[in-house]
């Protein structure tokens, strides 16, 4: 754990040193991409187009070896004021050995596709805070946790708020999340429905004109059924986030979270490694074109 945090700090320091000195800080913040596992309320300007890759890693379960990587390629466009559309395709890699209730698996597959729609209700420049609603719809042929084949459909609804605490220096954000999921597995022919609700908070400060550093704290509760039925477990994740403006058109975001506390239903454990992972990491690279 300490080694992972140390490597994260070293990577951020190296990127900050190598980032072009000519990159200027904007007046205020553009929060569209500065957070790791969260979203901001900004959605870009009309006609803007972006290409983005997002790699997410999940590591550690209740026993054995668990590693899962998702690599998503995305195209983002802003066709109308305050409205953004994103199309994505995802490939996944699973390396699972000796994990309770999950079959051993080592595989690389095309996972699925997604559609992300965002609409900004309040602009932070004209209102006390920014407010955006987002809905990400996805359909997968590979389960993101177990790697099992099947048909998986779900939606992530997010209500995002953010506010500049100190102009051009400190920004804070809040996300409220609801995720209904449905899955039918190919091998067993079983169907599962689940839902997750969560709240996430982030804060970032500008340490250089082109570098932001801060952290994110996310709390989740998982239930059986899409209507928040029987309680399954809960977890709290905390960790650092770094954003680097590499050039006028390109950017990089890094985020790492560890499960600081959790508890599966009916257990006195201090971590929920049944429904959630021990560590999560994310690397996002984007470029305007």
């Amino acid at each position: 754990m300490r080694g992972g945090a140390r490597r994260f700090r070293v990577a951020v320091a190296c990127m900050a040193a190598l980032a072009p000195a000519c990159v200027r800080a904007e007046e205020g913040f553009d929060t569209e991409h500065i957070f790791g596992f969260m979203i901001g309320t900004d959605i870009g300007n009309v006609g803007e187009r972006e290409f983005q890759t997002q790699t997410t890693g999940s590591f550690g379960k209740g026993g054995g070896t668990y590693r899962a990587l998702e690599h998503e390629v995305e195209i983002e466009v802003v066709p109308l004021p305050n409205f953004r559309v994103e199309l994505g395709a995802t490939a996944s890699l699973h390396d699972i050995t000796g994990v309770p209730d999950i079959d051993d698996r080592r595989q690389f597959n095309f996972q699925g596709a997604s559609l992300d729609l965002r609409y900004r209700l309040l602009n932070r420049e004209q209102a006390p805070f920014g407010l955006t609603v987002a809905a990400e719809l996805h359909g997968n042929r590979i389960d993101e946790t177990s790697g099992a084949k099947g048909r998986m459909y779900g939606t992530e609804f997010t209500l995002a708020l953010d506010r500049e605490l100190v102009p051009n220096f400190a920004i804070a954000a809040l996300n409220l999340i609801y995720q209904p999921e449905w899955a039918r597995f190919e091998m067993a022919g079983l169907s599962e429905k689940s839902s997750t609700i969560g709240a996430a908070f982030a804060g970032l400060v500008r340490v250089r004109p082109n570098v932001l550093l801060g952290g994110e704290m996310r709390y989740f509760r998982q239930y059986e059924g899409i209507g928040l039925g029987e309680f399954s477990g809960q977890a709290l994740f905390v960790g650092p986030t770094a954003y680097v403006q590499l050039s006028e058109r390109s950017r990089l975001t890094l985020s790492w979270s560890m499960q600081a506390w959790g508890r599966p239903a009916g257990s006195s454990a201090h971590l929920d490694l049944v429904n959630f992972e021990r560590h999560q990491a994310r690397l996002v690279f984007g470029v305007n074109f």
Side-chain angles (χ1 to χ4, degrees), residues 37 57-58 218 237 255-258 277-282:
F37 292 96
S58 301
R218 299 173 294 137
F237 289 88
S255 193
W256 169 71
S257 286
M258 61 169 288
E277 298 79 32
R278 186 184 297 271
H279 297 280
Q280 298 175 347
R282 177 167 289 177

Side-chain angles (χ1 to χ4, degrees), residues 51-250:
F51 170 80
Q52 177 174 288
T53 65
Q54 176 175 284
T55 304
T56 304
S58 301
F59 310 98
K61 282 288 191 178
T65 299
Y66 181 84
R67 305 185 187 96
L69 292 176
E70 293 182 0
H71 183 71
E72 185 172 11
V73 177
E74 304 162 341
I75 296 292
E76 304 171 2
V77 295
V78 184
L80 300 169
N82 298 314
F83 180 64
R84 198 197 80 172
V85 179
E86 175 186 293
L87 294 173
T90 304
S92 62
L93 174 68
H94 289 84
D95 182 9
I96 306 171
T97 306
V99 177
D101 300 321
I102 301 180
D103 293 339
D104 291 356
R105 186 172 279 110
R106 185 171 294 178
Q107 66 182 27
F108 175 79
N109 277 300
F110 170 73
Q111 180 168 304
S114 64
L115 171 65
D116 186 347
L117 306 174
R118 299 186 191 181
Y119 183 74
R120 183 169 60 184
L121 299 170
L122 295 177
N123 189 329
R124 200 173 51 254
E125 296 180 358
Q126 286 89 39
F129 54 86
L131 180 65
T132 290
V133 292
E136 181 186 321
L137 300 87
H138 57 265
N140 295 332
R141 56 185 294 274
I142 300 294
D143 181 60
E144 62 180 10
T145 300
S146 67
K149 292 184 179 180
R151 289 180 295 162
M152 295 81 188
Y153 303 100
T155 305
E156 180 174 335
F157 298 101
T158 304
L159 181 66
L161 302 89
D162 56 27
R163 177 182 172 87
E164 266 186 83
L165 302 179
V166 180
N168 205 31
F169 178 72
I171 185 86
L174 173 69
N175 285 183
L176 302 177
I177 303 159
Y178 169 55
Q179 302 170 326
E181 302 279 346
W182 177 86
R184 183 176 180 84
F185 296 98
E186 186 177 281
M187 291 293 293
L190 299 175
S191 295
E192 291 183 1
K193 295 179 181 179
S194 64
S195 51
T196 304
I197 58 172
F201 174 80
L204 291 172
V205 297
R206 194 183 300 278
V207 296
R208 289 188 59 184
N210 55 315
V211 179
L212 306 177
L213 295 179
E216 298 180 11
M217 179 172 62
R218 299 173 294 137
Y219 173 70
F220 298 102
R221 294 175 64 90
Q222 186 163 310
Y223 298 83
E224 295 181 7
I226 61 174
L228 304 178
E230 184 178 349
F231 175 67
S232 299
Q234 57 188 322
L236 175 69
F237 289 88
V238 296
T241 296
Y243 172 83
V244 181
Q245 189 72 36
L246 299 173
S247 70
E248 188 174 338
R249 291 182 174 270
S250 62

Side-chain angles (χ1 to χ4, degrees), residues 13-33:
C14 290
M15 286 186 298
L18 294 173
C22 61
V23 177
R24 296 181 181 178
E26 298 182 6
E27 289 298 325
F29 292 90
D30 182 352
T31 63
E32 185 178 4
H33 299 294

